[in-house]
Amino acid sequence: MASSTPSISHLIATSINDLPDVILSNVIAAITEVRARNSAALVCRKWLVLERSTRASLTLRGNVRDLIMLPTCFRSVTHLDLSLLSPWGHPLLSPATPEAAIDTDPTLIAHLLLHAFPSINSLKLYARNLSSLQPLASQWPQLGKVTLVRWHQRPQLSSGEEFSSFFSECSNLVSLDLSAFYCWTDDIPPSLESHPRVSESLTTLNLLNPSFSEGFKSDEITAIAKSCPNLKEFRAACMFDPRYIGYVGDEALISIATKCPNLAVLHLADTSALCSTRGDPSDDGFTSEQARINIPTLIEVFSSLSLLEELALDLCNSVRDSGPAFEILGSKCPRLKSLKLGQFHGVSMPVEWKLDGVALCHRLRSLSIRNPGDLDDIGLIAIGRGCSSLSRFEIQGCKKITMKGMRTVASLLRKTLVDVKISCCKNLSAPASLKALEPIKDTIQRLHIDCVWDSVEELPDCSNGGGLAFNLRGTHGDGDGDGDEDEELCNRKKKVKYSYDLNRLYEEMNGHGKTWDKLSYLSLWIGVGDLLTPLPDAGLENCPNLEEMRIKVEGDGRLLSKPSDREFGLTTLLCYPKLSKMHLDCGDVIGYAHTAPAGHMDLSLWERFYLMGIGSLRLSQLDYWPAQDRDVNQRSLTLPAAGLIQQCLTLRKLFIHGTTHEHFLRFFLHTPHLRDVQLREDYYPAPESDMSTEIREDSLSRFEAELNRRQIPD
């Protein structure tokens, strides 16, 4: 008689460790968040081995003198980031000098790095002098991808001399990123021309550096395109302004298209477009001087670059009637997924039911439009109809669009749109922007708005019959259904009267209530002296999953008298229970570094105003850019700022993008969980160590040593 008792093997539960090692390693390799990977490595020895063997990228932190602490268990790492070693900006591989605070042997450091990371083929490094790369280049002959960082002054060398030696040492380069490396524009073309082997092997070249004063000229762009015929990704800061000699125009664009036909990513931006300063919302978007780029030239370029997947043309001067060029772009570049345009007009000008311009780029996933002078609600809705798969949408400096048009686009893209940026639009204040995005408030994940506070009561109530409907034939409809709803977005066989009733669309989705369920990242722009306190009342009162915020403050505080309110309003953010990361950027706030006139505030008082209440937030990471006095090139943490940041007891990481004094740093030793503090002068020109008492390398080293000696509770 067979026993009915189940066998012992059936009683043993199956666990994830029963998976074959190959499958389990693929599962662990799919984890991208660093702390999650570290947690996985702590499960057991088997998981530790699998996590280490699948780790492909690693960023090293700590002091360069602590080489004995260099980890040796990440031997499978292929990408190594050394740009954040402390002291930040220290020449890691430069020969030691008698006055150097840290005595290091470049050959020894290179040998230890090779021993710890034998498989490196991609490197990111802060390099004061490119000749210091020679020891690493000889240790890693397979090095093919290099990202260089430098915000300090360029060495006093002749044009091209610095890169000539670099290309001689790194002869196997396929990717070079100089987007955060200060140099001269005329350093690069002659170096590429004199090293044809390196130039021809390059497939990725990033020269999109905001520190360039003018950008690359037409002959320099032509020389780069001629020297690097196999480029697949090319990004460069250019000078498009026709008032200057050598401006980039038709000839340079055609040379790129003809010399580099395999381009999949092309990003050309004027240096003025790279600055983060907000424009004037009252500006109509049209410039007095037109760019020297003709529509036939754009058509020829787009027809030649059929492999394009990402295109950005961010100009400083207007290009009018550009719609036909983007119709060709949509038809000739079937792989195009991302498009960014600046100062292009006529991008969407539909007549009756017919889509045109950018609206015919149906496969777009990301679209950014800046200063489109003639784009109105009808054109914006046409883009929403034609680009029905957009997951990311940015609109900046558009004077004619309103809440009605933006709300209709949000309704049309409610199934795909998760990332939105609305900036510098005259009719879209913060309350209006949030009202317009209500149809996607339960799905949107990332959002940027400008904190321009208008009364919420002035906005129409869309959920109670605001009468917000659009007829794409050019008149406003009443939502009475007198036209047929289009089933296919691009059906050209019959004329249809499109009427979108926002009330009906809102009612279809009204089950999500007032919660921004999936919003995890929020970016805000706010003018100097304005308050953050109206943010919840504007429509963001309920964001249960908001984890990260970026707040950028901009303006000249010298023009303002002392605010009547004591604090900026950071305590308002207590309504977001999961908020743990914050970027507070006051770097574009200008003030008096020393004594301010009567009735005004100096930089220390401005910092007290903006940081008051930060101790009440449960932040684990803070990036802070202090306000500055441009007359003395000073961006330094003041005593009130250090005292207020110290009160944030849950901080684990603190990055100050500026300088400070050693005795101010000691305040942070009283923050119990703090384990990583760094000063980064990542603005040009970064102050030199021998010219400032604030960033002495030995001072930072003493502070870091004392910080590392503490016991961390967790």
Side-chain angles (χ1 to χ4, degrees):
M1 180 176 178
S3 175
S4 60
T5 303
S7 63
I8 296 178
S9 61
H10 291 165
L11 295 176
I12 300 175
T14 302
S15 69
I16 191 172
N17 281 327
D18 295 323
L19 290 174
D21 288 354
V22 175
I23 297 178
L24 187 57
S25 65
N26 288 334
V27 172
I28 295 177
I31 302 175
T32 57
E33 208 275 324
V34 176
R35 296 199 68 188
R37 290 191 69 102
N38 294 338
S39 298
L42 296 175
V43 172
C44 62
R45 181 170 294 276
K46 177 182 178 180
W47 281 47
L48 173 64
V49 173
L50 291 177
E51 195 281 326
R52 295 296 187 255
S53 64
T54 57
R55 179 84 67 113
S57 178
L58 186 68
T59 299
L60 284 187
R61 287 282 292 109
N63 199 295
V64 66
R65 69 180 181 179
D66 298 326
L67 293 175
I68 193 173
M69 301 177 65
L70 193 67
T72 58
C73 55
F74 297 98
R75 302 184 66 83
S76 298
V77 166
T78 58
H79 172 74
L80 183 62
D81 186 351
L82 302 176
S83 65
L84 299 179
L85 288 177
S86 295
W88 187 91
H90 173 74
L92 172 65
L93 297 172
S94 296
T97 58
E99 64 272 11
I102 300 176
D103 187 9
T104 55
D105 182 0
T107 305
L108 174 61
I109 294 176
H111 179 75
L112 291 175
L113 289 172
L114 174 65
H115 176 71
F117 311 105
S119 305
I120 296 300
N121 58 34
S122 176
L123 178 67
K124 185 175 182 179
L125 179 71
Y126 195 104
R128 289 279 194 101
N129 194 321
L130 290 186
S131 61
S132 62
L133 273 175
Q134 190 275 334
L136 287 181
S138 60
Q139 297 284 357
W140 289 317
Q142 72 274 23
L143 194 62
K145 299 179 180 179
V146 175
T147 300
L148 298 176
V149 180
R150 180 172 71 194
W151 290 100
H152 287 84
Q153 295 279 0
R154 173 187 177 277
Q156 297 300 317
L157 300 173
S158 60
S159 298
E161 181 180 351
E162 190 175 24
F163 281 99
S164 292
S165 61
F166 168 66
F167 288 148
S168 299
E169 299 295 340
C170 302
S171 57
N172 296 320
L173 277 181
V174 295
S175 174
L176 179 60
D177 187 344
L178 302 177
S179 59
F181 184 80
Y182 177 74
C183 59
W184 293 346
T185 56
D186 53 2
D187 282 334
I188 299 171
S191 302
L192 291 172
E193 290 175 331
S194 60
H195 294 80
R197 178 186 171 187
V198 174
S199 303
E200 292 175 3
S201 64
L202 281 177
T203 59
T204 301
L205 183 59
N206 189 345
L207 306 175
L208 206 65
N209 195 321
S211 67
F212 291 149
S213 58
E214 294 181 349
F216 289 93
K217 298 180 175 64
S218 178
D219 57 339
E220 294 171 334
I221 292 292
T222 302
I224 293 173
K226 184 178 179 180
S227 301
C228 307
N230 297 313
L231 282 179
K232 295 182 180 179
E233 298 183 17
F234 181 42
R235 299 174 175 89
C238 303
M239 185 180 66
F240 285 102
D241 195 335
R243 295 175 298 174
Y244 293 93
I245 298 175
Y247 65 86
V248 173
D250 293 338
E251 181 180 352
L253 293 182
I254 292 176
S255 68
I256 292 175
T258 55
K259 303 297 183 182
C260 306
N262 298 321
L263 280 175
V265 176
L266 177 61
H267 191 148
L268 303 177
D270 191 86
T271 51
S272 62
L274 296 177
C275 67
S276 57
T277 306
R278 182 176 182 260
D280 182 3
S282 300
D283 188 3
D284 61 6
F286 293 95
T287 59
S288 57
E289 191 80 24
Q290 302 298 308
R292 298 297 190 267
I293 296 177
N294 297 319
I295 303 305
T297 298
L298 290 176
I299 293 175
E300 180 180 351
V301 170
F302 297 156
S303 301
S304 302
L305 299 176
S306 59
L307 301 179
L308 273 182
E309 299 177 13
E310 180 180 334
L311 173 65
L313 295 174
D314 208 351
L315 279 57
C316 63
N317 297 90
S318 300
V319 178
R320 296 177 181 264
D321 303 323
S322 60
F326 296 115
E327 294 178 12
I328 299 297
L329 176 67
S331 61
K332 296 293 185 180
C333 302
R335 301 182 182 181
L336 190 68
K337 297 294 188 296
S338 176
L339 180 61
K340 182 176 182 179
L341 303 174
Q343 292 292 162
F344 282 86
H345 310 298
V347 294
S348 179
M349 305 284 288
V351 177
E352 295 185 345
W353 58 274
K354 188 176 181 180
L355 302 178
D356 72 336
V358 171
L360 294 178
C361 299
H362 302 302
R363 301 174 184 84
L364 284 181
R365 299 291 184 271
S366 174
L367 176 61
S368 175
I369 304 176
R370 183 180 65 85
N371 291 351
D374 49 9
L375 182 66
D376 56 12
D377 286 338
I378 302 301
L380 186 67
I381 295 171
I383 293 176
R385 288 173 48 216
C387 306
S388 57
S389 300
L390 284 179
S391 61
R392 183 170 182 265
F393 180 62
E394 297 182 0
I395 184 73
Q396 302 179 56
C398 192
K399 186 178 179 180
K400 294 185 176 181
I401 64 171
T402 66
M403 185 192 71
K404 301 179 183 180
M406 192 65 216
R407 187 181 178 90
T408 305
V409 170
S411 300
L412 291 170
L413 300 174
R414 61 186 180 274
K415 294 182 179 180
T416 60
L417 195 58
V418 296
D419 187 347
V420 178
K421 177 177 181 178
I422 303 173
S423 177
C424 200
C425 296
K426 184 177 181 179
N427 299 315
L428 289 174
S429 61
S433 299
L434 296 173
K435 198 77 173 177
L437 296 176
E438 280 184 346
I440 58 171
K441 69 189 304 183
D442 56 343
T443 58
I444 190 171
Q445 300 173 14
R446 298 174 65 87
L447 172 63
H448 172 91
I449 58 173
D450 291 347
C451 292
V452 179
W453 310 118
D454 289 342
S455 175
V456 180
E457 287 76 11
E458 295 177 359
L459 301 176
D461 189 349
C462 301
S463 60
N464 295 320
L468 305 179
F470 275 102
N471 182 337
L472 294 189
R473 298 190 69 174
T475 60
H476 290 261
D478 298 320
D480 54 3
D482 58 346
D484 299 325
E485 185 74 26
D486 61 327
E487 297 294 332
E488 298 180 3
L489 295 177
C490 302
N491 186 358
R492 297 172 175 269
K493 296 184 179 180
K494 58 182 179 179
K495 295 183 178 181
V496 183
K497 180 180 180 182
Y498 294 101
S499 180
Y500 291 97
D501 189 340
L502 296 179
N503 301 319
R504 177 178 56 79
L505 290 173
Y506 180 78
E507 290 170 359
E508 291 176 358
M509 300 167 291
N510 204 23
H512 52 66
K514 296 184 178 181
T515 303
W516 301 76
D517 292 322
K518 295 185 178 181
L519 186 66
S520 60
Y521 175 86
L522 177 62
S523 174
L524 304 173
W525 176 94
I526 189 166
V528 63
D530 292 338
L531 301 179
L532 192 63
T533 48
L535 183 63
D537 294 335
L540 279 174
E541 70 280 4
N542 197 346
C543 304
N545 295 306
L546 183 62
E547 298 178 354
E548 183 175 356
M549 284 191 68
R550 183 181 186 96
I551 303 174
K552 180 172 180 59
V553 188
E554 181 185 324
D556 193 342
R558 298 172 300 182
L559 305 178
L560 302 177
S561 57
K562 186 175 181 179
S564 57
D565 294 271
R566 184 168 176 262
E567 60 180 276
F568 174 52
L570 289 181
T571 53
T572 305
L573 306 181
L574 286 170
C575 62
Y576 307 131
K578 290 189 177 181
L579 182 63
S580 60
K581 296 181 181 180
M582 177 177 289
H583 298 251
L584 182 55
D585 186 354
C586 299
D588 285 327
V589 174
I590 305 172
Y592 297 100
H594 306 295
T595 305
H600 295 261
M601 298 199 303
D602 59 19
L603 290 182
S604 63
L605 295 180
W606 277 118
E607 289 202 292
R608 175 183 292 174
F609 173 75
Y610 282 110
L611 288 170
M612 186 72 71
I614 197 170
S616 61
L617 304 179
R618 296 186 60 82
L619 298 178
S620 62
Q621 178 174 328
L622 174 63
D623 283 70
Y624 177 63
W625 286 257
Q628 63 174 317
D629 187 339
R630 292 179 179 173
D631 293 337
V632 294
N633 189 32
Q634 182 174 8
R635 185 181 290 174
S636 179
L637 193 73
T638 61
L639 176 61
L644 290 169
I645 294 176
Q646 171 206 341
Q647 298 175 10
C648 197
L649 301 180
T650 56
L651 269 185
R652 296 176 63 91
K653 297 182 180 182
L654 173 62
F655 305 118
I656 300 170
H657 299 260
T659 65
T660 192
H661 296 277
E662 182 180 5
H663 56 282
F664 291 171
L665 283 177
R666 297 186 62 84
F667 280 43
F668 305 135
L669 296 174
H670 301 288
T671 305
H673 298 273
L674 193 61
R675 57 183 299 174
D676 194 358
V677 180
Q678 191 173 55
L679 301 182
R680 300 176 184 171
E681 302 88 43
D682 46 1
Y683 55 93
Y684 181 80
E688 295 291 342
S689 299
D690 57 355
M691 297 175 60
S692 173
T693 60
E694 300 158 354
I695 56 171
R696 290 174 179 164
E697 293 169 0
D698 53 346
S699 300
L700 290 176
S701 299
R702 283 196 300 268
F703 167 75
E704 288 182 334
E706 195 164 350
L707 182 69
N708 293 332
R709 282 196 296 266
R710 302 183 314 152
Q711 292 293 326
I712 305 297
D714 60 346

